[in-house]
Amino acid sequence: MPDKPQKKEKPQKKDAVLRSDAQRNRERILDVALAELTRCADVPLSAIAKKAGVGQGTFYRNFPHREALVLEIYRHEMQLVADCATELLATREPDRALREWMDRLALFAMTKAGLADAIRQATRAAGATAKPEHTPVTDASDRLLRAAEKAGAIRPGVTADDFFLAISGLFTIDPHGDWQARSARLFDLVMDGLRTGAPGPRS
């Protein structure tokens, strides 16, 4: 009686395991890189790979150069900031959501100063792509502004460009100083301006 053929591992299962491992490696690299680049914009990529526990080959398959790594971190962090807008609008009055979202934006800007330096270096490098867009954050600010406008809490017609121009002073504040108090004062002044001319709640 012929031997029964042994069952072979399904290729799909093996591929799924490989994909899962690759995803974990990528996430580990990004987690380590965020912490290290926030601490020091010039940290060597080899140091990030070593701390993440991956080989050079694995590292460069995911991120072929510093610019790719930095911009991926930037996009991920910007998406987190943008996602806060949805959470706040679900639990706060629109104008309150807008004001609290400003604080979230300040927290990112001030605590990720090293990352900001790394972004500037990456986008100034020879052959670098254009400066990354703020699209998720811009879209988030527009959602907040439109919700507050619909509620009659701010003056009508304020655009996302107007908003970022108004709060641009945030990016001149020293992240190593008393940035919480200074950013709060700036944002309160901006909110006062936004509320001037507001029609009030609609009946």
Side-chain angles (χ1 to χ4, degrees):
M1 186 175 181
D3 293 336
K4 292 182 179 180
Q6 293 184 356
K7 292 182 179 179
K8 295 182 179 179
E9 183 180 357
K10 293 182 179 179
Q12 299 96 313
K13 184 177 180 181
K14 186 175 181 181
D15 290 345
V17 171
L18 291 173
R19 283 196 300 271
S20 178
D21 288 344
Q23 183 61 31
R24 280 196 295 271
N25 285 337
R26 183 180 179 85
E27 290 172 356
R28 194 158 58 247
I29 292 169
L30 288 171
D31 287 343
V32 170
L34 173 60
E36 293 300 305
L37 288 169
T38 297
R39 183 182 59 81
C40 174
D42 298 317
V43 62
L45 297 185
S46 57
I48 294 174
K50 183 176 181 180
K51 207 158 196 177
V54 300
Q56 296 290 311
T58 297
F59 183 93
Y60 285 108
R61 273 197 302 275
N62 282 279
F63 304 103
H65 43 71
R66 178 178 290 269
E67 179 196 354
L69 174 64
V70 171
L71 295 186
E72 178 65 21
I73 293 171
Y74 176 84
R75 281 189 286 268
H76 179 259
E77 291 297 296
M78 284 291 95
Q79 189 61 57
L80 291 179
V81 174
D83 290 345
C84 289
T86 301
E87 298 168 12
L88 289 168
L89 280 171
T91 56
R92 308 283 193 279
E93 292 298 320
D95 59 331
R96 193 67 242 161
L98 176 61
R99 177 62 186 82
E100 290 190 28
W101 187 73
M102 292 184 195
D103 289 335
R104 304 286 183 96
L105 190 61
L107 181 64
F108 169 78
M110 296 297 106
T111 59
K112 301 295 194 303
L115 178 58
D117 289 340
I119 292 165
R120 281 191 287 271
Q121 290 178 17
T123 54
R124 282 201 304 262
T129 58
K131 186 177 180 180
E133 297 181 357
H134 300 129
T135 301
V137 171
T138 302
D139 291 345
S141 66
D142 189 64
R143 288 201 309 275
L144 288 158
L145 290 167
R146 299 289 71 80
E149 181 180 324
K150 185 177 180 181
I154 65 170
R155 63 193 303 165
V158 178
T159 68
D161 285 343
D162 296 332
F163 171 75
F164 282 107
L165 184 60
I167 68 165
S168 60
L170 169 67
F171 304 103
T172 68
I173 295 175
D174 181 2
H176 304 294
D178 188 15
W179 63 264
Q180 291 98 331
R182 295 194 66 190
S183 64
R185 177 173 169 77
L186 170 65
F187 295 155
D188 286 343
L189 289 170
V190 170
M191 285 303 302
D192 286 345
L194 289 173
R195 289 182 175 120
T196 300
R202 296 172 184 172
S203 57

